[in-house]
Amino acid sequence: MASMSEIFCFSVFVTAVTLGEHFVTSDKFTHQESLDEEGKFHLFWKFDDEKIEAQVQTTGWVGLGLSPNGGMPGSDIAIGWVKDGTAYLTDRYAEAQAQPPVDESQDWELVSGYENGTHTVLRFNRKLTTCDVRDRVINEDTMRVLWAWHDDDPEDESGAGGPAYHGANRGVRSTILLSNIIDTANSAGALNYTFDIAMNNVLIPDYQDTTYWCRMFQMPNLASKHHMIKV
């Protein structure tokens, strides 16, 4: 059995301009996140001891990348699309703010892909550590995930006919991909307590990007030692 440090199976889900439609998947994903502020690019994934899975939907090509700092240079990028019923996926690396060249070592492995007329669905795998100097290591730290899409498929893998400039359809999101899931409902013989900590009646200012709001909370009184197992 492969360990989590060896295999990373991934696919992605993006909802592009089709705001009136929603993609329904049969997979029961344990994680999901909207990568853009407008909720057009959604990332869904699940994992166990061996793999992580996700899906991406969009019209045209879709790109997903792992960045060292949130910028494009130095990023490990996968760009894929479906054209004339055939799915394509290319492993790339970004040297600058430009079309990323195709990597000689193709470590993002296409599993499947199809297009339903309004969406493109791609599924692909990649090892957590590939030993390729141009690839980013996927670990339990906070990852800077790049996302982008375009409404049209490319004519070629690279060059003038390669993936067209995404324009404003791009961004970055900090997220933890390899977060543990603790099944508190099936913990044998364990007595689990849950309680909510919430900020009530707080208006978040709209004139600044980040707001820090501090408050002291009284924890429940427990007669013996307890361990916090999930937040």
Side-chain angles (χ1 to χ4, degrees), residues 22-225:
H22 299 278
F23 179 77
V24 179
T25 174
S26 60
D27 295 283
K28 296 180 179 179
F29 292 105
T30 55
H31 297 74
Q32 65 177 15
E33 187 164 358
S34 179
L35 299 187
D36 67 317
E37 295 298 329
E38 297 181 7
K40 295 181 179 180
F41 196 128
H42 301 277
L43 184 67
F44 297 81
W45 72 97
K46 65 179 180 179
F47 69 92
D48 52 26
D49 290 342
E50 296 185 18
K51 64 183 181 180
I52 297 177
E53 295 183 0
Q55 285 192 355
V56 182
Q57 304 175 39
T58 186
T59 58
W61 67 257
V62 59
L64 188 74
L66 303 174
S67 169
N69 51 22
M72 190 170 176
S75 297
D76 179 12
I77 296 175
I79 295 180
W81 61 94
V82 175
K83 185 175 182 180
D84 298 328
T86 302
Y88 300 87
L89 184 73
T90 53
D91 183 355
R92 300 166 182 259
Y93 61 95
E95 299 176 312
Q97 298 277 4
Q99 183 186 117
V102 177
D103 197 340
E104 294 180 359
S105 177
Q106 291 291 297
D107 297 304
W108 295 85
E109 177 187 358
L110 179 66
V111 175
S112 63
Y114 66 91
E115 195 170 54
N116 63 8
T118 58
H119 297 75
T120 300
V121 179
L122 298 171
R123 179 165 296 177
F124 41 94
N125 305 334
R126 209 211 76 173
K127 293 181 180 180
L128 298 179
T129 303
T130 65
C131 298
D132 183 352
V133 296
R134 293 190 172 114
D135 288 345
R136 305 295 304 174
V137 175
I138 300 173
N139 53 32
E140 296 180 354
D141 294 339
T142 300
M143 306 294 296
R144 271 60 179 184
V145 179
L146 303 180
W147 56 268
W149 79 79
H150 193 276
D151 292 333
D152 299 322
D153 293 327
E155 296 294 331
D156 300 305
E157 284 190 352
S158 58
Y165 178 57
H166 46 60
N169 299 327
R170 60 104 177 103
V172 59
R173 173 72 68 178
S174 296
T175 190
I176 299 176
L177 296 174
L178 300 183
S179 58
N180 290 326
I181 301 175
I182 299 176
D183 189 357
T184 57
N186 296 323
S187 299
L191 215 55
N192 302 309
Y193 302 94
T194 62
F195 64 96
D196 296 328
I197 295 178
M199 292 290 189
N200 297 320
N201 301 320
V202 173
L203 181 64
I204 300 176
D206 58 4
Y207 54 83
Q208 58 190 27
D209 293 332
T210 304
T211 298
Y212 295 94
W213 196 284
C214 300
R215 176 186 168 187
M216 299 292 290
F217 288 89
Q218 178 66 46
M219 301 292 287
N221 293 322
L222 301 173
S224 60
K225 179 192 290 187

